[in-house]
Amino acid sequence: KVAGDGKKIVSDVRVAAAEVQEKGIGKGHPLLLDLLFPDGTTARSDLEGLVALRKQLPELTKGLAPPTVEQLRAAAPAAPIDPTRVARALADLAGDERKQRELLQEAKNALRSTPKGLETPKYRVLRSWRAGPGALDGVVELRSYPPFTVARKGMGGAGFGAVEGGGAGFNALASYLFGDNADGAAMAMTTPVGIDVSGGGAASSMSFVLPRDAARAPPR
């Protein structure tokens, strides 16, 4: 909604309040959301991202199990924390408004289904439909993309359904993108993250889109 359109906003709030008062929040919230947080707005996308996260977390944590005694013994000891380095980093953050804005943006993006401010390939929507019956379930889109370059990491038999397989694939690709490659070239984060699924239903690989300026000659 445009903040300057005060009369329209007041009218929408009244209509939404009347709907909720008459039908209750359970049946009245879809109209409330459509009036106050229309499809396509950042606020609506953020709400849909939070709902999706609430659904995904139980699925991701369902397969988690505490480490065994043998695994704990075999694990490498954690590196000690340098309090001086931590204090210096916090002091730098407190005095750098640009870093503060970046940190705030990253915190918001962590809860968004589609992070903002990241390069993404151009695409054309061929078809779209509601992802579920809920007002905040979001929309599924069938897209057509022109060719683009990706960095890909196989995940073996673990698949994305396993936290370990998905986490290992993501960390390896993020390390490559942020400069852990033979050329030492750091690149900007992009969207989307691709998941290739095998015939058995388990994800076989994960991929990151390479920025356009690195796509012609990707770092080794």
Side-chain angles (χ1 to χ4, degrees):
K1 296 292 180 181
V2 180
D5 192 2
K7 292 183 179 180
K8 176 62 174 173
I9 293 175
V10 170
S11 174
D12 286 349
V13 169
R14 287 175 176 169
V15 171
E19 179 81 359
V20 172
Q21 186 176 16
E22 176 185 349
K23 299 182 179 179
I25 191 65
K27 294 183 178 181
H29 77 277
L31 179 61
L32 182 149
L33 292 169
D34 288 340
L35 287 174
L36 304 184
F37 308 102
D39 284 331
T41 61
T42 300
R44 181 63 172 253
S45 297
D46 289 350
L47 288 172
E48 291 173 351
L50 288 171
V51 170
L53 181 66
R54 187 184 67 180
K55 293 180 178 179
Q56 292 166 2
L57 280 178
E59 296 174 1
L60 289 173
T61 57
K62 188 182 300 182
L64 288 178
T68 63
V69 175
E70 291 74 15
Q71 289 173 330
L72 290 173
R73 289 174 178 170
I81 297 175
D82 183 353
T84 303
R85 185 176 179 182
V86 173
R88 188 181 299 116
L90 291 174
D92 290 344
L93 178 62
D96 191 326
E97 293 185 359
R98 182 183 61 82
K99 288 183 179 180
Q100 293 172 15
R101 290 193 297 270
E102 290 177 352
L103 182 62
L104 179 60
Q105 185 66 48
E106 287 298 323
K108 292 179 178 178
N109 280 341
L111 300 176
R112 287 173 172 158
S113 55
T114 304
K116 292 189 173 296
L118 303 183
E119 181 182 314
T120 187
K122 295 181 180 180
Y123 62 87
R124 182 166 56 93
V125 177
L126 303 179
R127 181 188 169 196
S128 63
W129 57 92
R130 300 296 302 179
L136 288 175
D137 283 338
V139 175
V140 176
E141 293 181 340
L142 178 62
R143 300 174 176 178
S144 174
Y145 285 88
F148 56 86
T149 306
V150 302
R152 190 180 307 278
K153 170 68 175 176
M155 292 189 293
F160 189 68
V163 175
E164 297 84 355
F170 187 94
N171 290 338
L173 290 170
S175 296
Y176 168 78
L177 210 64
F178 296 149
D180 187 11
N181 50 64
D183 295 338
M187 296 166 279
M189 191 67 181
T190 60
T191 63
V193 175
I195 302 294
D196 288 338
V197 182
S198 67
S204 56
S205 66
M206 179 182 290
S207 60
F208 279 13
V209 179
L210 294 187
R212 294 183 186 92
D213 59 3
R216 287 186 176 273
R220 293 172 293 169

